[in-house]
Amino acid sequence: MNGSNVQMREAGISDCHACSIFCPARLGYLADLAVSPPELPQSDAADQKQTNKKPSNDYNSANQSNLMEIERIPAWSDNYIWLCHDNESQLTMVVDPTEDSGVNKMLEEKGWKLSHIFNTHHHNDHTDRIPGIDTAVGDGDTFKWGSQDVVVFDTPGHTKVLLTTCHTKGHIVFHVPTSQALFSGDTLFALGCGRLFEGTPQQMWTSLSKIIALPDETTVYCAHEYTQSNAKFAVTVDPGNDALLARKEHIDKLRSQGIPTIPSNLGEEKATNPFLRAGDAGVRTALGMQSETIPDWQVFGAIRKAKDNA
C-alpha cells in the first residue's frame, strides 16, 4: 500500500490508513471509483508464476449473460480476478484485484474503462493492492450497479467479524441475480470452501447455508483454482457419489491440459461438493456420524478438519 488516506464517507471515517481498508464497522466494502478511476498500483507479485492458462472449459459460451460480460483473469499462482462489464450502462467493475497487470491488459483488449472495485475480504491476496474504499456494505444490503441488482451476504468463517472502529474483519459475497452470478471470494470454492482461519465451523456452515439457498442455475465465480485438490479429497468423504466421481474425472482431464475449472455451477456444487452436503447420508456414513442428533454444522466441521489434515 502507498500510505494514502482512505475516505470512508458512508461509515463516517475519513482518516484511516490505507492498510485498514476494512475499517468501517460494517461487513464488506464497495470502492466506487466511477468519477475518476485510479490506475491500479504495480504488484509486487507480478513476476510470480501463473499456472492458470488461457484455454477455457465451457465458461465463455455458457456463462456470459446478455446483460453482463464476465472475464476471468489469472493472478499469482492460483488466484482469479473477475472483470465484469454491464452492457447497458457500460460500467465495468473488478472483484478482488490482486494485481494490476492482467486487469489493465484486459481493459485495454475489451475497450472498457474501470468504474468500480468490489471487495470480498481483507486478506492480502484480495485487498492488499486497492488504493481506497469509500462505500461499506453489509449483510442483506442491496444496491444497483448499472442495470444489475446486487445482493450482499455476510459470510464469516474464513474470516471473522470484529466490530471495533478501524478494525472490522469480515467476508462478504456478492450475488447478482439479474445475471445469475455469485462472486464468492474465499467462502465457497469449486468442490471446497475456505479454511477457518478466524471463524468457527458453525459460523461457516451458516454462511454456506445462505449460498445453498440460492438457485441451482447460479454461476459461482470463486477466487482460486483449487478444484483438482478439492476433488481428490472430496471422493474420500463421499465415495458413493457417482456424480462426484464423474466430475473428478472431468476435472483431472481439464487440469492435465492446463484448462481452468472455474467458474462452476451451484447446482453441481450442491450435488458434489461435500462442504455443502453435511446432511447427506452417504457423507455422514463415511465420517461415522450417522446419528440424526448430530447437527449439520458439526458434520461440516468434521469435513473441514479432515480436509485440513489431508
Side-chain angles (χ1 to χ4, degrees):
M1 304 296 294
N2 59 16
S4 61
N5 290 335
V6 181
Q7 299 300 314
M8 304 286 186
R9 294 193 296 271
E10 182 174 317
I13 301 171
S14 61
D15 193 28
C16 298
H17 192 274
C19 68
S20 297
I21 60 176
F22 48 93
C23 64
R26 297 184 64 191
L27 307 177
Y29 327 98
L30 167 65
D32 185 344
L33 308 174
V35 176
S36 180
E39 185 173 333
L40 296 174
Q42 291 297 316
S43 166
D44 295 333
D47 58 349
Q48 292 195 22
K49 182 179 179 181
Q50 296 182 0
T51 61
N52 305 307
K53 299 181 181 179
K54 190 172 182 179
S56 170
N57 49 26
D58 58 356
Y59 150 76
N60 284 328
S61 59
N63 295 317
Q64 293 293 332
S65 165
N66 290 331
L67 296 174
M68 184 167 67
E69 293 183 56
I70 304 174
E71 295 292 339
R72 177 185 53 230
I73 302 171
W76 291 17
S77 62
D78 54 40
N79 281 68
Y80 287 134
I81 300 167
W82 300 104
L83 188 66
C84 309
H85 182 74
D86 179 56
N87 287 322
E88 183 173 316
S89 67
Q90 296 297 300
L91 294 177
T92 302
M93 65 93 163
V94 64
V95 182
D96 292 346
T98 303
E99 59 185 23
D100 69 324
S101 57
V103 175
N104 287 333
K105 181 180 179 181
M106 184 65 70
L107 287 168
E108 184 177 354
E109 288 180 0
K110 302 293 292 187
W112 297 340
K113 183 178 180 181
L114 185 65
S115 61
H116 297 78
I117 296 174
F118 284 22
N119 221 155
T120 63
H121 65 294
H122 66 86
H123 288 165
N124 66 0
D125 63 331
H126 291 261
T127 66
D128 193 45
R129 306 290 187 259
I130 295 179
I133 298 291
D134 69 2
T135 302
V137 293
D139 191 39
D141 282 352
T142 62
F143 60 91
K144 274 282 189 183
W145 176 71
S147 67
Q148 307 292 317
D149 297 315
V150 183
V151 183
V152 180
F153 296 111
D154 164 33
T155 56
H158 182 64
T159 59
K160 66 181 178 180
V161 180
L162 188 61
L163 294 179
T164 55
T165 302
C166 284
H167 199 59
T168 298
K169 296 182 180 180
H171 194 300
I172 61 171
V173 301
F174 296 97
H175 180 221
V176 188
T178 40
S179 291
Q180 297 183 325
L182 176 71
F183 298 96
S184 61
D186 283 0
T187 296
L188 178 67
F189 300 128
L191 290 178
C193 76
R195 284 178 175 266
L196 307 185
F197 288 126
E198 302 169 13
T200 67
Q202 192 166 11
Q203 283 180 319
M204 183 60 114
W205 178 248
T206 298
S207 297
L208 292 172
S209 295
K210 296 177 184 180
I211 295 175
I212 292 171
L214 297 177
D216 288 356
E217 297 77 18
T218 304
T219 301
V220 181
Y221 299 88
C222 72
H224 291 277
E225 182 61 69
Y226 294 158
T227 317
Q228 189 170 33
S229 63
N230 287 342
K232 182 179 180 180
F233 167 76
V235 297
T236 68
V237 293
D238 199 4
N241 188 333
D242 290 340
L244 171 59
L245 295 173
R247 187 179 180 191
K248 180 182 182 299
E249 183 178 352
H250 181 59
I251 288 165
D252 288 340
K253 182 178 180 180
L254 290 175
R255 294 310 291 157
S256 70
Q257 301 173 59
I259 297 176
T261 64
I262 309 298
S264 63
N265 170 263
L266 184 56
E268 188 173 33
E269 294 301 327
K270 294 177 188 180
T272 58
N273 187 332
F275 295 96
L276 302 184
R277 293 168 52 77
D280 179 77
V283 173
R284 283 173 167 255
T285 298
L287 293 169
M289 303 178 76
Q290 298 96 318
S291 174
E292 294 181 358
T293 64
I294 302 174
D296 289 346
W297 71 263
Q298 288 187 4
V299 178
F300 165 79
I303 299 169
R304 184 64 261 179
K305 184 177 180 179
K307 178 65 166 68
D308 293 343
N309 295 329

